[in-house]
Amino acid sequence: MNILIALIPALGWGIFSLIAGKIKNSHPANELMGLGTGTLIIGIITAIIHPTSSNITIFSLSLISGMFCALGQSGQFISMRNIGISKTMPLSTGFQLIGNTLIGAIIFGEWTSSSQYLIGTLALILIIVGVSLTAISKDKSAKLKMRDIILLLFTSIGYWIYSSFPKAITADAQTLFLPQMIGIFIGSIIFLLVSRQTKVLKEKATWLLKEKATWLNIFSGFSFGIAAFAYIFSAQLNGVITAFIYSQLCVIISTLGGIFFIGENKTKSELIATFVGLILIIIGAAIQ
């Protein structure tokens, strides 16, 4: 049962990027605002079905972790538009796996022996090589630029904090979930304000109807919210490293979906490199 719960985030987080990528005339601002709205709705529904009590400390920390999640997601959405889903997701997954593995091992002490450190290091190497293979491109205009890498690396810090949070605090999943979803919504608005993409927020209460792409992206928020709820349970049941590793199998769904569902072009050699890279990422995740 624990493993089945661990696989729900992989499914939800794999599908949500494809929903966002398939929507016409959609921009990162629409996607982030739709995501924030969708996750907030899921959070409210969950709170109504399973009402919980909290205190100001847990609520505030949960909200902040959700805001960091919005930071991570903003980087993904921007990168998806710049370099495509099939390149963004493996690179983002690699950064997340490396960061969260090190956090789980060093901060939470989930590696307790020299053999675990040896195997863990080997796993990280495989992940890095795998990510590098998925980024191979013969088209010079489509090659990764340093700014793309820096953007995803910097915003991945938000995901590191968000993903590790359930292990760092003692509280049940229902208590953590709603404030986290509120945090994602607030973080999305802050990003739009800071990046001066406030067009999506205009017209006050009618902005949702005016921006069709934002409205449609709420469905990606539903997918993300369900995955996020399951992830909290998984992190508490399985530990940060195991929960995160299983959740990042979403890279298979999102990467292959980007190629075959969204229609991102790759040459035969690029496709082979992507497949090999994904296999190495999965192996690296599995042996930890």
Side-chain angles (χ1 to χ4, degrees):
M1 180 60 72
N2 289 5
I3 300 303
L4 290 177
I5 293 174
L7 289 174
I8 293 175
L11 182 62
W13 282 334
I15 292 174
F16 99 92
S17 61
L18 300 180
I19 296 174
K22 197 66 175 177
I23 296 172
K24 294 181 179 179
N25 302 317
S26 181
H27 302 283
N30 303 112
E31 292 156 359
L32 194 59
M33 197 65 238
L35 176 84
T37 304
T39 53
L40 180 60
I41 292 172
I42 295 295
I44 292 172
I45 292 173
T46 302
I48 293 173
I49 297 174
H50 296 287
T52 61
S53 58
S54 183
N55 59 54
I56 188 64
T57 300
I58 291 177
F59 187 92
S60 299
L61 291 175
S62 300
L63 187 144
I64 292 171
S65 76
M67 293 172 68
F68 273 105
C69 178
L71 170 64
Q73 197 51 57
S74 67
Q76 271 194 5
F77 281 141
I78 294 171
S79 184
M80 281 164 54
R81 294 299 163 186
N82 289 342
I83 62 175
I85 296 173
S86 60
K87 286 184 180 178
T88 295
M89 297 311 292
L91 185 59
S92 178
T93 296
F95 286 147
Q96 292 176 61
L97 279 168
I98 293 169
N100 281 278
T101 298
L102 294 176
I103 289 171
I106 298 171
I107 296 179
F108 296 121
E110 294 187 3
W111 289 354
T112 57
S113 66
S114 57
S115 62
Q116 286 179 312
Y117 275 93
L118 179 62
I119 294 173
T121 301
L122 174 61
L124 293 178
I125 293 172
L126 289 174
I127 291 168
I128 292 171
V129 173
V131 168
S132 299
L133 287 173
T134 64
I136 290 177
S137 177
K138 290 186 176 181
D139 184 354
K140 292 183 179 180
S141 63
K143 286 186 177 180
L144 281 175
K145 299 179 176 61
M146 183 57 64
R147 66 185 182 190
D148 299 318
I149 297 173
I150 292 174
L151 170 68
L152 276 176
L153 179 59
F154 173 74
T155 53
S156 290
I157 295 173
Y159 273 136
W160 298 346
I161 296 173
Y162 166 75
S163 301
S164 302
F165 180 76
K167 188 70 174 181
I169 193 167
T170 303
D172 60 76
Q174 291 94 328
T175 301
L176 300 176
F177 187 64
L178 178 59
Q180 280 194 326
M181 298 305 99
I182 294 173
I184 292 176
F185 181 76
I186 294 174
S188 299
I189 293 176
I190 291 174
F191 172 79
L192 294 176
L193 293 173
V194 171
S195 60
R196 298 182 180 179
Q197 300 182 72
T198 53
K199 178 182 177 181
V200 75
L201 296 174
K202 289 182 179 180
E203 302 296 333
K204 296 183 179 180
T206 64
W207 68 267
L208 195 58
L209 298 176
K210 296 291 184 179
E211 294 285 344
K212 182 179 178 180
T214 303
W215 184 80
L216 291 174
N217 270 294
I218 290 178
F219 290 100
S220 71
F222 290 160
S223 180
F224 188 98
I226 293 170
F229 189 54
Y231 178 78
I232 295 175
F233 280 104
S234 181
Q236 294 180 332
L237 291 171
N238 302 307
V240 170
I241 291 179
T242 300
F244 190 77
I245 286 170
Y246 275 102
S247 74
Q248 292 307 294
L249 293 177
C250 67
V251 69
I252 300 174
I253 299 172
S254 57
T255 302
L256 297 183
I259 296 171
F260 299 111
F261 180 66
I262 303 297
E264 296 177 356
N265 294 323
K266 282 186 179 288
T267 64
K268 183 177 180 179
S269 60
E270 290 170 354
L271 195 58
I272 292 173
T274 297
F275 280 129
V276 174
L278 288 175
I279 290 171
L280 291 179
I281 292 173
I282 293 168
I283 293 174
I287 67 174
Q288 294 190 62

